[in-house]
Coordinates of all heavy atoms in Angstrom, one line a residue:
Chain B
F47 N -39.8 25.8 -17.2 CA -40.4 27.2 -17.1 C -39.4 28.1 -17.7 O -38.4 27.7 -18.1 CB -40.6 27.5 -15.6 CG -39.3 27.5 -14.8 CD1 -38.4 28.6 -14.8 CD2 -38.9 26.3 -14.1 CE1 -37.3 28.6 -14.0 CE2 -37.7 26.2 -13.4 CZ -36.9 27.4 -13.4
N48 N -40.0 29.3 -18.0 CA -39.1 30.3 -18.7 C -39.1 31.6 -17.8 O -39.8 31.8 -16.9 CB -39.8 30.7 -20.0 CG -39.8 29.5 -21.0 OD1 -38.8 28.8 -21.3 ND2 -41.0 29.1 -21.5
D51 N -42.0 33.9 -16.2 CA -43.1 33.2 -15.6 C -43.2 33.4 -14.1 O -42.2 33.7 -13.5 CB -42.8 31.6 -15.8 CG -42.9 31.2 -17.3 OD1 -43.3 32.1 -18.2 OD2 -42.7 30.0 -17.5
T52 N -44.4 33.4 -13.6 CA -44.6 33.4 -12.2 C -44.7 32.0 -11.7 O -45.5 31.2 -12.3 CB -45.9 34.2 -11.8 OG1 -45.8 35.5 -12.4 CG2 -46.1 34.3 -10.4
V53 N -43.8 31.6 -10.8 CA -43.8 30.2 -10.5 C -43.9 30.0 -9.0 O -43.7 30.9 -8.2 CB -42.3 29.6 -10.8 CG1 -42.1 29.5 -12.3 CG2 -41.3 30.3 -10.2
R54 N -44.3 28.8 -8.6 CA -44.4 28.4 -7.3 C -43.4 27.3 -7.0 O -43.5 26.2 -7.5 CB -45.8 27.9 -6.8 CG -46.8 29.1 -6.8 CD -48.3 28.4 -7.0 NE -48.6 27.6 -5.7 CZ -49.1 28.2 -4.7 NH1 -49.2 29.5 -4.6 NH2 -49.3 27.4 -3.6
V55 N -42.3 27.6 -6.3 CA -41.2 26.6 -6.0 C -41.5 25.9 -4.7 O -41.6 26.5 -3.7 CB -39.8 27.4 -6.0 CG1 -38.7 26.3 -5.8 CG2 -39.6 28.1 -7.2
F70 N -42.2 29.1 -2.4 CA -41.7 30.5 -2.7 C -42.3 30.9 -4.1 O -42.0 30.2 -5.1 CB -40.2 30.4 -2.8 CG -39.6 31.8 -2.8 CD1 -39.3 32.4 -1.6 CD2 -39.2 32.4 -4.0 CE1 -38.7 33.7 -1.7 CE2 -38.7 33.7 -4.0 CZ -38.4 34.3 -2.9
E71 N -43.2 31.9 -4.1 CA -43.8 32.3 -5.3 C -43.3 33.6 -5.8 O -43.2 34.5 -5.0 CB -45.3 32.3 -5.1 CG -46.1 32.8 -6.3 CD -47.5 32.6 -6.3 OE1 -48.0 32.2 -5.2 OE2 -48.2 33.0 -7.2
G72 N -43.0 33.7 -7.1 CA -42.5 34.9 -7.6 C -42.2 34.8 -9.1 O -42.5 33.8 -9.7
I73 N -41.6 35.9 -9.6 CA -41.3 35.9 -11.0 C -39.9 35.4 -11.2 O -39.0 35.8 -10.5 CB -41.4 37.4 -11.5 CG1 -42.9 37.9 -11.3 CG2 -41.1 37.4 -13.1 CD1 -43.0 39.3 -11.6
V74 N -39.7 34.6 -12.2 CA -38.4 34.1 -12.6 C -37.7 35.3 -13.4 O -38.2 35.7 -14.4 CB -38.4 32.9 -13.5 CG1 -37.0 32.4 -13.8 CG2 -39.1 31.8 -12.8
F87 N -31.6 29.3 -11.0 CA -32.5 30.3 -11.5 C -32.9 31.2 -10.3 O -32.8 30.9 -9.1 CB -33.8 29.7 -12.2 CG -34.6 28.8 -11.2 CD1 -35.7 29.3 -10.5 CD2 -34.3 27.4 -11.0 CE1 -36.4 28.4 -9.7 CE2 -34.9 26.6 -10.2 CZ -36.1 27.1 -9.5
V89 N -35.6 33.7 -8.5 CA -37.1 34.1 -8.3 C -37.2 35.3 -7.4 O -36.6 35.4 -6.4 CB -37.8 32.9 -7.7 CG1 -39.3 33.3 -7.6 CG2 -37.6 31.7 -8.5
V112 N -41.6 22.7 -9.4 CA -41.8 24.1 -9.9 C -43.0 24.2 -10.6 O -43.2 23.7 -11.8 CB -40.7 24.7 -10.6 CG1 -40.8 26.1 -11.0 CG2 -39.3 24.5 -9.8
E113 N -44.1 24.8 -10.0 CA -45.3 25.1 -10.7 C -45.5 26.3 -11.4 O -45.0 27.3 -10.8 CB -46.4 25.2 -9.6 CG -47.5 24.1 -9.4 CD -48.3 24.4 -8.4 OE1 -47.9 24.1 -7.1 OE2 -49.4 25.1 -8.6
V114 N -45.8 26.3 -12.7 CA -45.9 27.6 -13.3 C -47.3 28.2 -13.1 O -48.4 27.6 -13.6 CB -45.7 27.5 -14.9 CG1 -45.8 28.7 -15.6 CG2 -44.2 26.9 -15.1
A115 N -47.4 29.2 -12.4 CA -48.7 29.8 -12.0 C -49.2 30.7 -13.1 O -50.4 30.7 -13.4 CB -48.6 30.7 -10.8
R116 N -48.3 31.4 -13.7 CA -48.7 32.3 -14.8 C -47.6 32.4 -15.8 O -46.4 32.6 -15.4 CB -49.0 33.7 -14.3 CG -50.0 34.5 -15.0 CD -50.7 35.5 -14.3 NE -49.7 36.3 -13.3 CZ -50.0 36.2 -12.0 NH1 -51.0 35.7 -11.6 NH2 -49.1 36.8 -11.2

Side-chain angles (χ1 to χ4, degrees):
Chain B
F47 56 88
N48 294 309
D51 291 354
T52 304
V53 293
R54 292 161 65 82
V55 181
F70 191 87
E71 181 171 356
I73 302 171
V74 179
F87 61 96
V89 181
V112 178
E113 243 180 280
V114 179
R116 206 161 38 240

